[in-house]
C-alpha cells in the first residue's frame, strides 16, 4: 500500500499580510512550508507532493531545499490545484492520499495516523472539531440572529481518501467546492469525521503566526532529549594482590594491568557517558601516551565525563554496569561498588546498577586471563 500526501501551496495567502504568501514566510526558525513537510516526513508517508505556483520565486527557493519532494503546478483555484496534483500522482500506484493545506504547519502525527486508519473502514475521512461557541448571523457589525450549532463541525486537514475515488470525484466536479470533502460528497462518497486537534490551526491572519510559533515551540520543548551510550572495556591480569573495580579495592591473587589503575568497570561507565554525548572515549580525553595519567585513579576520568554532561545541560538518569569474570567474586562487593559509583557521579544509589556474570569459562575471561565490563548510561537534557 502506497500513501501519498498532496500539500496544497499554490495560493497567495494575502490576508496573512507580510507581502509574501503565508506558506513561504518564516516561522519559528524555518518557513511555514518546511514545518508542514516535516510533519508528514515524520509520519512516514511514502510520497509527498507539493502543488505550487510555478511563477512564484519564493516557492521555487523554498522547495529547492527539499530534494525528495514531488512538485505539481497549481491552478486558478484550490479545486484545480488539487486536481492537477492528483493527476500527477495517477501513474505512481498510490492507494491512499491525504490532501492538506500548506498553511497548517502544526498538524500532529497522531491526527495524521488517525485519519489514515479511518480509511480502513470508510471511503473517506477528515478531522473536525465540534463547534462549541454560540453562532450569530450579522450584517454591518450588527447581530441579526443566531444559528443552531448542533451537528456543526469546524473542518480541518489532512483529509484522507482512497486515491482512485477522489481522483474520479475531482475529474467529475462541476462548479466550485469549499474543500475536498465537499468534492467527495458531490460524488456520492460518505466521509467519516475523525477527532480534530485545537492546535492544528490554519494560518490566515497576521496574528496566527505568533500562535503557530507558540504551538511549535511548545511541541519542541515537550520532547525530551534522551541519549543512550554504551561502554566496553577489557584489562588483563598481571602480578598483584588486589583489583580495583568500580572504585572498590577487591582482594585477589592478581591485579589488572593498564595505563591508569585499570578499573575496568569505571572505564566502561565513563565511555558509556562519553558515548551518549558523542564525545568519543577515555583515550580521546586522557591519551595513554600522556605520562601524567600513568597510574591515575579512574574516578578522575569518570568525574570529567559527569562534569561534561552537566555542562551540556544533561542529567544522568541511570547507569548499568556488568562485570564479566570468573574471579574474583563480585557479589559480596556489588553494593559497595554501587555506593561508590553513585557518590562519584552525585547520583541516587537506586539509579546505579553493578552486577556480574561469567562467560561460562569461554574466552579470555573464562580462562581467567582478565576482566571485561559493559555499561549503559542514559542522559536526559534537563
Amino acid at each position: 500500500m502506497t500513501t501519498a500526501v498532496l500539500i496544497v501551496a499554490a495560493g497567495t495567502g494575502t490576508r496573512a499580510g507580510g507581502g509574501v504568501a503565508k506558506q513561504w514566510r518564516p516561522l519559528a526558525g524555518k518557513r511555514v512550508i518546511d514545518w508542514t513537510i516535516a510533519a508528514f516526513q515524520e509520519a512516514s508517508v511514502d510520497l509527498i507532493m507539493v502543488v505550487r505556483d510555478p511563477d512564484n520565486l519564493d516557492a521555487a527557493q523554498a522547495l529547492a531545499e527539499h530534494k525528495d519532494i514531488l512538485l505539481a503546478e497549481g491552478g486558478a483555484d484550490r479545486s484545480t490545484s488539487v486536481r492537477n496534483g492528483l493527476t500527477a500522482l495517477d501513474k505512481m500506484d498510490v492507494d491512499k492520499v491525504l490532501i492538506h493545506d500548506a498553511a497548517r504547519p502544526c498538524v500532529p502525527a497522531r491526527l495524521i495516523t488517525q485519519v489514515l486508519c479511518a480509511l480502513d473502514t470508510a471511503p473517506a475521512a477528515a478531522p473536525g472539531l465540534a463547534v462549541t461557541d454560540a453562532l450569530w448571523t450579522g450584517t454591518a457589525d450588527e447581530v441579526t440572529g443566531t444559528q443552531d450549532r448542533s451537528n456543526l463541525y469546524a473542518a480541518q486537514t489532512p483529509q484522507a481518501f482512497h486515491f482512485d475515488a477522489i481522483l474520479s470525484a475531482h475529474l467529475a466536479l462541476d462548479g466550485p467546492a469549499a474543500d475536498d470533502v465537499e468534492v467527495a460528497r458531490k460524488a456520492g462518497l460518505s466521509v467519516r469525521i475523525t477527532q480534530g486537534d485545537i492546535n492544528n490551526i490554519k494560518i490566515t491572519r497576521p496574528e496566527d503566526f505568533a500562535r503557530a510559533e507558540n504551538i511549535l515551540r511548545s511541541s519542541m520543548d515537550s520532547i525530551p532529549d534522551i541519549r543512550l551510550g554504551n561502554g566496553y572495556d577489557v584489562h588483563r591480569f598481571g602480578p598483584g594482590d588486589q583489583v580495583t573495580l568500580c572504585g572498590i579495592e577487591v582482594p585477589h591473587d592478581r591485579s589488572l594491568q593498564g595505563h591508569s589503575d585499570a578499573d575496568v568497570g569505571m572505564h566502561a561507565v565513563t565511555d558509556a557517558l562519553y558515548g551518549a554525548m558523542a564525545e568519543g572515549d577515555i583515550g580521546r580525553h586522557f591519551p595513554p601516551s600522556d605520562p601524567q595519567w600513568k597510574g591515575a585513579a579512574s574516578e578522575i576520568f569518570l568525574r570529567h565525563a559527569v562534569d561534561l554532561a552537566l555542562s551540556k545541560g544533561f542529567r544522568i538518569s541511570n547507569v548499568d554496569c556488568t562485570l564479566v569474570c570468573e574471579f574474583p567474586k563480585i557479589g559480596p562487593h556489588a553494593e559497595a561498588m554501587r555506593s561508590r559509583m553513585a557518590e562519584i557521579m552525585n547520583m541516587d544509589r537506586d539509579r546505579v546498577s553493578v552486577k556480574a556474570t561469567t562467560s561460562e569459562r569461554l574466552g579470555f575471561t573464562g580462562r581467567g586471563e582478565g576482566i571485561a565490563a559493559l555499561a549503559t548510561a542514559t542522559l536526559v537534557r534537563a
Side-chain angles (χ1 to χ4, degrees):
M1 299 287 286
T2 300
T3 300
V5 59
L6 197 63
I7 299 175
V8 187
T12 58
T14 54
R15 282 182 293 173
V20 176
K22 57 193 176 186
Q23 58 269 34
W24 315 117
R25 286 180 56 183
L27 174 66
K30 301 182 182 179
R31 287 162 299 219
V32 172
I33 191 73
D34 298 327
W35 288 107
T36 306
I37 290 172
F40 289 94
Q41 289 173 329
E42 292 173 9
S44 299
V45 172
D46 300 308
L47 298 173
I48 299 176
M49 175 172 281
V50 176
V51 184
R52 91 297 188 205
D53 178 356
D55 298 323
N56 188 321
L57 295 179
D58 295 308
Q61 178 184 358
L63 295 172
E65 299 178 11
H66 296 279
K67 305 300 182 184
D68 298 328
I69 304 303
L70 303 172
L71 301 177
E73 294 189 4
D77 54 34
R78 189 183 190 281
S79 295
T80 303
S81 293
V82 173
R83 184 169 64 248
N84 289 353
L86 292 173
T87 302
L89 286 171
D90 191 25
K91 305 299 182 183
M92 300 182 186
D93 296 323
V94 174
D95 301 290
K96 297 178 180 179
V97 63
L98 297 157
I99 303 175
H100 186 67
D101 299 322
R104 291 187 187 269
C106 305
V107 57
R110 173 197 55 77
L111 188 149
I112 297 171
T113 300
Q114 186 173 284
V115 75
L116 274 174
C117 288
L119 287 184
D120 293 339
T121 55
L129 287 173
V131 174
T132 57
D133 293 327
L135 297 175
W136 303 330
T137 59
T139 302
D141 298 330
E142 183 176 339
V143 176
T144 58
T146 58
Q147 174 70 48
D148 183 11
R149 64 182 179 233
S150 300
N151 301 319
L152 290 181
Y153 291 82
Q156 295 187 338
T157 67
Q159 297 171 357
F161 308 91
H162 294 283
F163 181 80
D164 291 342
I166 194 62
L167 174 60
S168 297
H170 266 279
L171 292 175
L173 180 64
D174 182 16
D179 63 3
D180 301 290
V181 165
E182 184 175 356
V183 175
R185 296 191 69 252
K186 284 184 176 183
L189 298 175
S190 64
V191 181
R192 172 87 49 84
I193 300 174
T194 63
Q195 181 60 47
D197 192 297
I198 193 171
N199 288 331
N200 184 25
I201 66 170
K202 184 177 182 180
I203 295 176
T204 303
R205 299 172 298 274
E207 58 268 28
D208 292 335
F209 280 90
R211 183 181 173 195
E213 179 161 352
N214 287 336
I215 292 169
L216 290 169
R217 293 199 181 281
S218 175
S219 176
M220 288 186 287
D221 291 343
S222 67
I223 301 174
D225 186 356
I226 300 174
R227 310 285 186 90
L228 295 179
N230 295 317
Y232 177 74
D233 196 34
V234 170
H235 283 286
R236 71 178 66 216
F237 282 125
D241 58 6
Q242 66 179 22
V243 293
T244 302
L245 296 172
C246 294
I248 299 299
E249 294 179 352
V250 178
H252 190 47
D253 58 5
R254 284 174 291 176
S255 294
L256 292 173
Q257 305 298 296
H259 185 67
S260 62
D261 64 4
D263 188 333
V264 64
M266 199 173 290
H267 291 177
V269 171
T270 303
D271 275 352
L273 293 172
Y274 284 139
M277 295 180 282
E279 282 285 348
D281 59 11
I282 293 175
R284 171 176 164 182
H285 299 275
F286 302 93
S289 58
D290 190 336
Q292 70 173 308
W293 308 121
K294 178 69 173 176
S298 293
E299 67 180 75
I300 296 173
F301 312 149
L302 181 56
R303 290 186 192 277
H304 177 269
V306 171
D307 290 344
L308 183 60
L310 294 175
S311 72
K312 289 176 172 285
F314 291 104
R315 63 177 176 84
I316 305 172
S317 178
N318 76 293
V319 164
D320 181 23
C321 179
T322 301
L323 299 168
V324 185
C325 60
E326 300 293 332
F327 297 101
K329 294 301 183 184
I330 303 302
H333 309 281
E335 295 307 310
M337 293 176 185
R338 290 180 60 204
S339 297
R340 180 58 179 150
M341 294 288 282
E343 178 187 2
I344 294 170
M345 293 185 286
N346 194 27
M347 293 174 61
D348 292 337
R349 187 170 171 275
D350 63 2
R351 292 182 178 271
V352 179
S353 168
V354 177
K355 57 190 187 296
T357 187
T358 71
S359 53
E360 299 294 335
R361 298 192 178 278
L362 299 174
F364 78 93
T365 57
R367 293 189 298 269
E369 297 171 3
I371 298 179
L374 306 91
T376 300
T378 305
L379 301 183
V380 180
R381 195 178 294 276

